[in-house]
Amino acid sequence: MSFLDPVKGFGVTFATMFKPVVTEDYPKKPEQPAPRYHGRHQLNRHPDGLEKCVGCELCAWACPADAIFVEGGDNTDEARYSPGERYGKNYQINYLRCIGCGLCIEACPTRSLTMTNEYELADDDRQRLIYTKDMLLAPLLPGMEQPPHPMRLGDEHDYYAKGPELVRQAGGGRTGDGARSESQQAGQEPPVAAPQGADSPAAVQVRTRGQS
């Protein structure tokens, strides 16, 4: 070992000593995460208010931490919550287990489950960290109707095959170049977080749980 080896080992330390200190005024002025940051989950809706979740449970199967519980239910003509035959009757995410890997949103075939930019998930009550369906569902935008109700946008094929077109007709296909785009401010899910080949979203992004 040479005489300069200890000095080389402290090279990063010495270089950091002369850099300015960065202080964040949190929580008064929280930093805005990157647009593709994966935070709290959200269950999205179609432009008429029907839920995108079809209760397939693929997100629960893909979760490596076993943090998601899904119980599917059958739609009927009298009570329809989503297009097609099934909907997510019971949906829970345990944030005591969730590791934020995003495998669940990659497995979702209908783009129902996505992840927002909300990162403030700490709590002093373990029970409040188990999010239920009513806490995860995107709120209704103007023009949406609270399920159950019949399909307003055509048949099941129209909902999933013409998803981007239906979103544009509902006024949700615009994006800006600011910190929060116009579609995000209007309650739309950020399209930058969608995997390639996925439908354009028609859901609401909620920044804090208090706004949901």
Side-chain angles (χ1 to χ4, degrees), residues 58-139:
L58 288 177
C59 53
W61 282 99
C63 180
D66 196 21
I68 301 178
F69 170 77
V70 184
E71 180 184 3
D74 294 328
N75 285 312
T76 63
D77 294 335
E78 294 77 19
R80 174 169 295 280
Y81 293 88
S82 70
E85 300 179 357
R86 305 268 291 172
Y87 74 100
K89 181 179 180 180
N90 189 357
Y91 201 104
Q92 298 180 17
I93 296 182
N94 187 344
Y95 282 101
L96 296 168
R97 292 184 174 186
C98 178
I99 59 176
C101 63
L103 291 178
C104 52
I105 65 174
E106 297 292 338
C108 182
T110 63
R111 286 288 291 158
S112 168
L113 186 66
T114 52
M115 300 178 77
T116 69
N117 284 358
E118 181 187 346
Y119 57 87
E120 295 174 312
L121 296 173
D123 208 313
D124 57 0
D125 188 343
R126 296 174 64 88
Q127 187 62 38
R128 286 201 294 261
L129 287 172
I130 301 177
Y131 280 49
T132 55
K133 179 180 175 180
D134 59 323
M135 301 165 67
L136 296 168
L137 264 178

XYZ file of all heavy atoms in Angstrom, residues 58-139:
643
model
N -54.296 -10.308 -12.057
C -52.928 -10.431 -12.563
C -51.957 -9.568 -11.765
O -50.791 -9.931 -11.595
C -52.884 -10.048 -14.040
C -53.507 -11.053 -15.014
C -53.457 -10.517 -16.442
C -52.782 -12.385 -14.931
N -52.412 -8.430 -11.278
C -51.534 -7.578 -10.475
C -51.141 -8.289 -9.180
O -49.997 -8.204 -8.733
C -52.210 -6.244 -10.177
S -53.857 -6.397 -9.446
N -52.101 -8.983 -8.572
C -51.801 -9.708 -7.334
C -50.827 -10.855 -7.584
O -49.940 -11.125 -6.766
C -53.099 -10.231 -6.716
N -50.983 -11.535 -8.727
C -50.058 -12.626 -9.058
C -48.653 -12.097 -9.344
O -47.660 -12.759 -9.054
C -50.577 -13.408 -10.258
C -51.676 -14.358 -9.934
C -53.011 -14.164 -10.106
C -51.546 -15.653 -9.349
N -53.722 -15.251 -9.671
C -52.849 -16.188 -9.203
C -50.463 -16.417 -8.939
C -53.092 -17.445 -8.671
C -50.702 -17.680 -8.406
C -51.999 -18.184 -8.271
N -48.559 -10.899 -9.934
C -47.254 -10.355 -10.295
C -46.520 -9.745 -9.109
O -45.304 -9.544 -9.178
C -47.417 -9.299 -11.394
N -47.224 -9.433 -8.031
C -46.607 -8.744 -6.892
C -45.646 -9.677 -6.162
O -46.069 -10.706 -5.610
C -47.684 -8.245 -5.936
S -47.014 -7.381 -4.491
N -44.359 -9.349 -6.097
C -43.392 -10.234 -5.414
C -43.486 -10.162 -3.896
O -42.963 -11.030 -3.207
C -42.034 -9.714 -5.911
C -42.280 -8.267 -6.198
C -43.698 -8.171 -6.695
N -44.149 -9.111 -3.374
C -44.253 -8.950 -1.927
C -45.605 -9.381 -1.380
O -45.846 -9.246 -0.182
C -44.002 -7.480 -1.555
N -46.476 -9.895 -2.253
C -47.818 -10.328 -1.844
C -48.550 -9.197 -1.128
O -49.186 -9.396 -0.088
C -47.732 -11.564 -0.944
C -49.072 -12.282 -0.821
O -49.932 -12.082 -1.696
O -49.252 -13.024 0.157
N -48.488 -7.996 -1.720
C -49.082 -6.823 -1.088
C -50.470 -6.487 -1.627
O -51.124 -5.592 -1.093
C -48.169 -5.608 -1.285
N -50.936 -7.180 -2.667
C -52.195 -6.833 -3.324
C -53.188 -7.967 -3.141
O -52.849 -9.144 -3.323
C -51.980 -6.547 -4.823
C -50.979 -5.401 -5.007
C -53.300 -6.200 -5.505
C -50.669 -5.095 -6.451
N -54.402 -7.594 -2.784
C -55.503 -8.559 -2.690
C -56.630 -8.097 -3.597
O -57.052 -6.938 -3.529
C -56.006 -8.669 -1.252
C -57.282 -9.466 -1.118
C -57.253 -10.849 -1.172
C -58.501 -8.829 -0.961
C -58.424 -11.593 -1.058
C -59.668 -9.550 -0.849
C -59.636 -10.940 -0.893
N -57.098 -8.977 -4.478
C -58.173 -8.657 -5.410
C -59.233 -9.746 -5.338
O -58.910 -10.938 -5.376
C -57.661 -8.536 -6.859
C -58.803 -8.109 -7.797
C -56.517 -7.544 -6.953
N -60.474 -9.322 -5.242
C -61.617 -10.235 -5.317
C -62.532 -9.743 -6.426
O -63.048 -8.629 -6.362
C -62.362 -10.271 -3.991
C -63.570 -11.200 -4.005
C -64.359 -11.148 -2.713
O -64.004 -10.348 -1.829
O -65.353 -11.899 -2.604
N -62.702 -10.532 -7.451
C -63.532 -10.148 -8.576
C -65.001 -10.395 -8.323
O -65.390 -11.219 -7.494
N -65.820 -9.644 -9.053
C -67.266 -9.806 -8.987
C -67.849 -9.800 -10.384
O -67.191 -9.392 -11.346
N -69.084 -10.251 -10.523
C -69.751 -10.340 -11.817
C -70.621 -9.108 -12.046
O -71.402 -8.712 -11.166
C -70.623 -11.595 -11.902
C -69.796 -12.873 -11.870
O -68.660 -12.846 -12.381
O -70.287 -13.884 -11.338
N -70.472 -8.507 -13.236
C -71.372 -7.436 -13.640
C -72.716 -8.017 -14.050
O -72.792 -9.128 -14.592
C -70.782 -6.659 -14.820
C -69.664 -5.738 -14.399
O -69.790 -4.990 -13.437
N -68.552 -5.785 -15.120
N -73.765 -7.275 -13.810
C -75.100 -7.636 -14.269
C -75.707 -6.439 -14.990
O -75.192 -5.315 -14.917
C -76.006 -8.041 -13.095
O -76.167 -6.913 -12.210
C -75.395 -9.201 -12.316
N -76.802 -6.674 -15.682
C -77.481 -5.573 -16.357
C -78.024 -4.552 -15.359
O -78.142 -3.364 -15.677
C -78.627 -6.112 -17.220
C -78.118 -6.966 -18.373
O -76.957 -6.763 -18.780
O -78.879 -7.833 -18.858
N -78.333 -5.002 -14.165
C -78.859 -4.087 -13.152
C -77.742 -3.358 -12.411
O -77.962 -2.242 -11.918
C -79.709 -4.866 -12.133
C -80.982 -5.477 -12.698
C -80.719 -6.741 -13.509
O -79.616 -7.331 -13.325
O -81.567 -7.117 -14.333
N -76.571 -3.954 -12.313
C -75.444 -3.355 -11.586
C -74.171 -3.588 -12.375
O -73.570 -4.655 -12.282
C -75.338 -3.938 -10.180
N -73.777 -2.597 -13.164
C -72.564 -2.697 -13.985
C -71.544 -1.674 -13.486
O -71.803 -0.480 -13.434
C -72.898 -2.436 -15.459
C -71.659 -2.380 -16.360
C -72.020 -2.381 -17.815
N -72.666 -3.626 -18.204
C -71.999 -4.745 -18.468
N -70.672 -4.781 -18.366
N -72.645 -5.835 -18.807
N -70.353 -2.197 -13.132
C -69.287 -1.342 -12.628
C -68.146 -1.176 -13.630
O -67.324 -0.264 -13.472
C -68.730 -1.907 -11.321
C -69.724 -1.863 -10.183
C -70.611 -2.914 -9.969
C -69.785 -0.772 -9.332
C -71.524 -2.878 -8.932
C -70.699 -0.726 -8.290
C -71.561 -1.779 -8.097
O -72.471 -1.736 -7.075
N -68.034 -2.063 -14.610
C -66.982 -1.994 -15.616
C -67.498 -2.620 -16.899
O -68.478 -3.371 -16.877
C -65.724 -2.731 -15.139
O -65.952 -4.129 -15.114
N -66.860 -2.337 -18.040
C -67.242 -3.046 -19.269
C -66.904 -4.535 -19.150
O -65.974 -4.919 -18.453
C -66.389 -2.364 -20.347
C -65.941 -1.082 -19.739
C -65.840 -1.315 -18.274
N -67.644 -5.356 -19.830
C -67.345 -6.785 -19.809
C -68.097 -7.515 -18.722
O -69.110 -7.054 -18.197
N -67.577 -8.690 -18.354
C -68.276 -9.578 -17.429
C -67.893 -9.365 -15.973
O -68.706 -9.598 -15.085
C -67.998 -11.042 -17.804
C -68.450 -11.427 -19.205
C -68.125 -12.874 -19.535
O -67.503 -13.544 -18.673
O -68.482 -13.327 -20.625
N -66.641 -8.939 -15.706
C -66.152 -8.902 -14.328
C -65.675 -7.511 -13.945
O -65.375 -6.666 -14.795
C -64.989 -9.881 -14.163
C -65.294 -11.313 -14.573
C -65.786 -12.134 -13.424
N -64.697 -12.368 -12.463
C -64.888 -12.928 -11.269
N -66.086 -13.292 -10.886
N -63.856 -13.132 -10.458
N -65.584 -7.265 -12.649
C -65.028 -6.021 -12.115
C -64.339 -6.337 -10.791
O -64.514 -7.422 -10.222
C -66.114 -4.958 -11.924
C -67.032 -5.201 -10.748
C -66.851 -4.525 -9.542
C -68.086 -6.110 -10.827
C -67.693 -4.746 -8.468
C -68.926 -6.340 -9.757
C -68.735 -5.650 -8.575
O -69.554 -5.874 -7.508
N -63.530 -5.418 -10.324
C -62.846 -5.617 -9.053
C -63.767 -5.280 -7.886
O -63.913 -4.116 -7.530
N -64.379 -6.293 -7.293
C -65.322 -6.080 -6.199
C -64.607 -5.622 -4.937
O -65.068 -4.728 -4.225
C -66.103 -7.364 -5.935
C -67.147 -7.258 -4.836
C -67.885 -8.573 -4.668
C -68.939 -8.483 -3.571
N -69.659 -9.776 -3.401
N -63.487 -6.239 -4.645
C -62.700 -5.899 -3.457
C -61.250 -5.732 -3.888
O -60.692 -6.621 -4.534
C -62.826 -6.989 -2.396
C -62.199 -6.590 -1.066
O -61.617 -5.508 -0.940
N -62.313 -7.453 -0.073
N -60.654 -4.601 -3.550
C -59.271 -4.336 -3.972
C -58.536 -3.688 -2.800
O -58.983 -2.673 -2.253
C -59.247 -3.410 -5.191
C -57.965 -3.478 -5.978
C -57.902 -4.152 -7.189
C -56.800 -2.871 -5.506
C -56.724 -4.227 -7.907
C -55.621 -2.952 -6.207
C -55.595 -3.624 -7.414
O -54.407 -3.699 -8.118
N -57.400 -4.273 -2.422
C -56.615 -3.745 -1.317
C -55.128 -3.792 -1.666
O -54.665 -4.735 -2.309
C -56.856 -4.554 -0.034
C -58.277 -4.539 0.477
C -58.442 -5.366 1.741
O -57.467 -5.696 2.422
N -59.683 -5.712 2.049
N -54.401 -2.779 -1.232
C -52.944 -2.758 -1.344
C -52.371 -2.467 0.035
O -52.706 -1.462 0.663
C -52.447 -1.711 -2.355
C -52.934 -2.058 -3.760
C -50.923 -1.622 -2.340
C -52.453 -1.092 -4.832
N -51.506 -3.350 0.501
C -50.875 -3.214 1.804
C -49.537 -2.505 1.613
O -48.557 -3.109 1.160
C -50.680 -4.596 2.429
C -50.187 -4.512 3.858
O -49.717 -3.473 4.311
N -50.297 -5.615 4.586
N -49.480 -1.225 1.986
C -48.248 -0.458 1.816
C -47.217 -0.751 2.896
O -46.126 -0.193 2.866
C -48.564 1.034 1.751
C -49.093 1.433 0.391
C -50.445 1.618 0.185
C -48.239 1.571 -0.686
C -50.936 1.959 -1.061
C -48.708 1.907 -1.935
C -50.062 2.102 -2.121
O -50.537 2.416 -3.366
N -47.545 -1.611 3.833
C -46.528 -2.117 4.749
C -45.645 -3.143 4.047
O -44.528 -3.414 4.488
C -47.186 -2.754 5.971
C -48.003 -1.805 6.858
C -48.837 -2.608 7.844
C -47.086 -0.851 7.587
N -46.153 -3.718 2.951
C -45.411 -4.723 2.203
C -44.906 -4.198 0.860
O -43.893 -4.673 0.358
C -46.292 -5.948 1.945
C -46.640 -6.748 3.186
C -47.423 -7.994 2.796
N -47.658 -8.879 3.922
C -48.220 -10.069 3.821
N -48.617 -10.510 2.643
N -48.394 -10.824 4.890
N -45.639 -3.277 0.253
C -45.310 -2.822 -1.103
C -43.885 -2.292 -1.181
O -43.447 -1.511 -0.334
C -46.297 -1.735 -1.533
S -45.967 -1.037 -3.169
N -43.150 -2.705 -2.220
C -41.771 -2.265 -2.410
C -41.643 -1.316 -3.594
O -40.532 -0.936 -3.974
C -40.835 -3.476 -2.609
C -41.259 -4.305 -3.824
C -40.815 -4.346 -1.367
C -40.332 -5.453 -4.150
N -42.767 -0.924 -4.188
C -42.742 0.065 -5.261
C -42.039 -0.380 -6.525
O -41.488 0.440 -7.251
N -42.074 -1.678 -6.818
C -41.328 -2.184 -7.974
C -42.031 -1.905 -9.295
O -41.401 -1.866 -10.343
C -41.091 -3.686 -7.826
S -42.614 -4.677 -7.803
N -43.365 -1.735 -9.278
C -44.102 -1.443 -10.494
C -44.457 -2.656 -11.331
O -45.008 -2.501 -12.430
N -44.175 -3.862 -10.862
C -44.522 -5.055 -11.639
C -46.038 -5.209 -11.778
O -46.525 -5.753 -12.765
C -43.930 -6.301 -10.986
C -42.403 -6.430 -11.041
C -41.956 -7.685 -10.304
C -41.914 -6.468 -12.478
N -46.786 -4.706 -10.818
C -48.237 -4.830 -10.877
C -48.819 -4.012 -12.026
O -49.731 -4.470 -12.728
C -48.852 -4.389 -9.549
S -48.294 -2.762 -8.991
N -48.306 -2.812 -12.254
C -48.861 -1.988 -13.329
C -48.421 -2.511 -14.695
O -49.107 -2.301 -15.695
C -48.466 -0.509 -13.156
C -46.956 -0.298 -13.297
C -48.925 0.008 -11.809
C -46.551 1.152 -13.273
N -47.279 -3.195 -14.742
C -46.869 -3.813 -16.002
C -47.765 -5.003 -16.347
O -47.997 -5.293 -17.520
C -45.412 -4.283 -15.903
C -44.400 -3.168 -15.679
C -44.270 -2.253 -16.887
O -44.624 -2.688 -17.993
O -43.826 -1.106 -16.707
N -48.285 -5.687 -15.315
C -49.111 -6.866 -15.548
C -50.556 -6.518 -15.878
O -51.274 -7.354 -16.433
C -49.079 -7.772 -14.321
N -50.996 -5.309 -15.564
C -52.403 -4.943 -15.755
C -52.732 -4.866 -17.241
O -52.141 -4.065 -17.969
C -52.699 -3.612 -15.083
S -54.428 -3.101 -15.220
N -53.694 -5.665 -17.738
C -53.987 -5.680 -19.176
C -54.867 -4.538 -19.636
O -54.973 -4.290 -20.841
C -54.702 -7.026 -19.363
C -55.384 -7.261 -18.059
C -54.478 -6.684 -17.003
N -55.521 -3.826 -18.722
C -56.460 -2.769 -19.111
C -55.981 -1.377 -18.730
O -56.732 -0.415 -18.890
C -57.823 -3.020 -18.460
O -57.679 -2.958 -17.027
C -58.382 -4.378 -18.852
N -54.768 -1.248 -18.235
C -54.244 0.027 -17.758
C -55.114 0.594 -16.642
O -55.243 1.807 -16.482
C -54.129 1.039 -18.904
C -52.991 0.776 -19.849
C -51.641 1.072 -19.234
N -51.452 2.500 -19.019
C -50.583 2.995 -18.146
N -49.862 2.190 -17.410
N -50.443 4.291 -18.007
N -55.725 -0.298 -15.882
C -56.523 0.148 -14.749
C -55.631 0.621 -13.605
O -55.868 1.670 -13.018
C -57.422 -0.991 -14.270
O -57.991 -0.685 -13.012
N -54.608 -0.161 -13.295
C -53.728 0.160 -12.179
C -52.508 0.910 -12.673
O -51.762 0.415 -13.524
C -53.299 -1.125 -11.465
C -52.487 -0.935 -10.175
C -53.350 -0.271 -9.107
C -51.954 -2.260 -9.674
N -52.306 2.115 -12.170
C -51.108 2.897 -12.468
C -50.569 3.454 -11.157
O -51.159 3.256 -10.095
C -51.412 4.054 -13.450
O -52.518 4.826 -12.952
C -51.771 3.515 -14.825
N -49.446 4.151 -11.238
C -48.826 4.709 -10.046
C -48.678 6.212 -10.223
O -48.214 6.688 -11.259
C -47.470 4.050 -9.777
C -47.576 2.550 -9.557
S -45.986 1.719 -9.288
C -45.658 2.159 -7.586
N -49.085 6.965 -9.218
C -49.046 8.414 -9.259
C -47.710 8.921 -8.712
O -46.824 8.151 -8.350
C -50.196 8.998 -8.443
O -49.963 8.736 -7.047
C -51.526 8.374 -8.847
N -47.583 10.241 -8.609
C -46.377 10.864 -8.063
C -46.433 11.056 -6.553
O -45.509 11.625 -5.975
C -46.143 12.230 -8.724
C -45.584 12.083 -10.119
O -45.328 10.989 -10.582
N -45.395 13.191 -10.813
N -47.490 10.631 -5.927
C -47.620 10.828 -4.482
C -46.674 9.911 -3.730
O -46.697 8.685 -3.914
C -49.056 10.567 -4.033
C -49.251 10.780 -2.540
C -50.626 10.361 -2.075
O -51.506 10.158 -2.919
O -50.802 10.219 -0.844
N -45.836 10.469 -2.890
C -44.852 9.672 -2.157
C -45.010 9.771 -0.646
O -44.297 9.095 0.097
C -43.429 10.113 -2.535
C -43.142 11.575 -2.305
C -42.702 12.042 -1.069
C -43.320 12.498 -3.321
C -42.448 13.385 -0.854
C -43.062 13.840 -3.128
C -42.628 14.275 -1.894
O -42.383 15.615 -1.694
N -45.936 10.578 -0.160
C -46.117 10.748 1.285
C -47.044 9.650 1.804
O -48.254 9.839 1.925
C -46.677 12.136 1.573
C -45.717 13.251 1.187
C -46.340 14.620 1.349
O -47.480 14.803 0.871
O -45.702 15.492 1.945
N -46.480 8.519 2.124
C -47.249 7.352 2.535
C -46.971 6.928 3.971
O -47.454 5.902 4.408
C -46.957 6.175 1.593
C -47.387 6.356 0.132
C -46.895 5.193 -0.716
C -48.896 6.470 0.032
N -46.187 7.706 4.699
C -45.879 7.349 6.081
C -47.094 7.594 6.976
O -47.890 8.497 6.745
C -44.682 8.146 6.585
N -47.225 6.774 8.000
C -48.335 6.913 8.939
C -47.937 6.256 10.251
O -47.041 5.402 10.286
C -49.600 6.259 8.380
C -50.871 6.914 8.921
O -50.938 7.125 10.162
O -51.775 7.220 8.125
N -48.624 6.639 11.324
C -48.346 6.034 12.627
C -49.375 4.979 12.990
O -49.373 4.476 14.113
C -48.282 7.108 13.717
C -49.563 7.931 13.801
O -50.504 7.660 13.018
O -49.621 8.857 14.643
N -50.258 4.655 12.043
C -51.267 3.613 12.255
C -51.133 2.585 11.143
O -51.317 2.900 9.960
C -52.665 4.232 12.248
C -53.747 3.237 12.648
O -53.487 2.013 12.611
O -54.856 3.683 12.993
N -50.817 1.358 11.485
C -50.594 0.324 10.477
C -51.855 0.045 9.670
O -51.776 -0.246 8.481
C -50.112 -0.965 11.160
C -48.765 -0.831 11.853
C -48.420 -2.093 12.619
N -48.265 -3.233 11.752
C -47.130 -3.580 11.163
N -46.035 -2.858 11.358
N -47.065 -4.636 10.385
N -53.015 0.154 10.287
C -54.251 -0.149 9.589
C -54.518 0.853 8.468
O -55.056 0.494 7.411
C -55.422 -0.144 10.581
C -56.738 -0.619 9.975
C -56.674 -2.060 9.493
O -56.042 -2.903 10.137
N -57.300 -2.348 8.363
N -54.114 2.112 8.651
C -54.350 3.134 7.624
C -53.429 2.962 6.424
O -53.626 3.609 5.402
C -54.182 4.536 8.226
C -55.329 4.963 9.121
C -55.381 6.473 9.264
N -54.227 6.990 9.954
C -54.203 7.317 11.244
N -55.284 7.151 11.984
N -53.117 7.805 11.813
N -52.425 2.114 6.534
C -51.539 1.851 5.414
C -52.015 0.686 4.552
O -51.323 0.298 3.617
C -50.120 1.577 5.921
C -49.390 2.820 6.432
C -48.074 2.442 7.086
C -49.144 3.799 5.295
N -53.168 0.149 4.867
C -53.818 -0.834 3.997
C -54.897 -0.090 3.230
O -55.971 0.203 3.761
C -54.404 -2.006 4.803
C -53.305 -2.707 5.597
C -55.103 -2.978 3.874
C -53.797 -3.840 6.479
N -54.613 0.246 1.988
C -55.519 1.047 1.176
C -56.585 0.148 0.558
O -56.276 -0.884 -0.032
C -54.751 1.777 0.083
C -54.046 3.025 0.533
C -53.240 3.042 1.662
C -54.183 4.208 -0.179
C -52.602 4.179 2.079
C -53.539 5.367 0.229
C -52.751 5.347 1.357
O -52.111 6.494 1.762
N -57.832 0.567 0.680
C -58.953 -0.174 0.117
C -59.354 0.442 -1.220
O -58.818 1.468 -1.642
C -60.134 -0.176 1.090
O -60.467 1.176 1.432
C -59.769 -0.935 2.363
N -60.315 -0.182 -1.872
C -60.703 0.234 -3.215
C -61.189 1.680 -3.249
O -60.842 2.435 -4.176
C -61.792 -0.699 -3.750
C -62.293 -0.331 -5.140
C -63.368 -1.286 -5.613
C -63.943 -0.837 -6.947
N -64.991 -1.765 -7.431
N -61.977 2.082 -2.249
C -62.491 3.450 -2.247
C -61.379 4.480 -2.088
O -61.530 5.631 -2.513
C -63.537 3.617 -1.147
C -62.971 3.318 0.233
O -62.147 2.391 0.341
O -63.353 4.000 1.199
N -60.252 4.094 -1.488
C -59.120 5.001 -1.341
C -58.258 5.031 -2.597
O -57.539 6.010 -2.835
C -58.273 4.572 -0.143
C -59.044 4.551 1.172
S -58.196 3.643 2.484
C -56.790 4.693 2.769
N -58.306 3.983 -3.404
C -57.459 3.880 -4.588
C -58.163 4.354 -5.863
O -57.490 4.709 -6.837
C -56.996 2.432 -4.777
C -56.099 1.864 -3.679
C -55.957 0.354 -3.844
C -54.724 2.525 -3.713
N -59.494 4.349 -5.880
C -60.222 4.732 -7.083
C -60.026 6.214 -7.388
O -60.065 7.071 -6.500
C -61.710 4.445 -6.915
C -62.238 3.125 -7.460
C -63.723 2.998 -7.146
C -62.009 3.018 -8.967
N -59.823 6.523 -8.657
C -59.718 7.908 -9.086
C -61.066 8.591 -8.911
O -62.110 7.998 -9.193
C -59.287 7.974 -10.548
N -61.080 9.837 -8.429
C -62.353 10.548 -8.287
C -62.982 10.837 -9.640
O -62.326 10.795 -10.678
C -61.958 11.830 -7.551
C -60.510 11.999 -7.824
C -59.929 10.633 -7.964
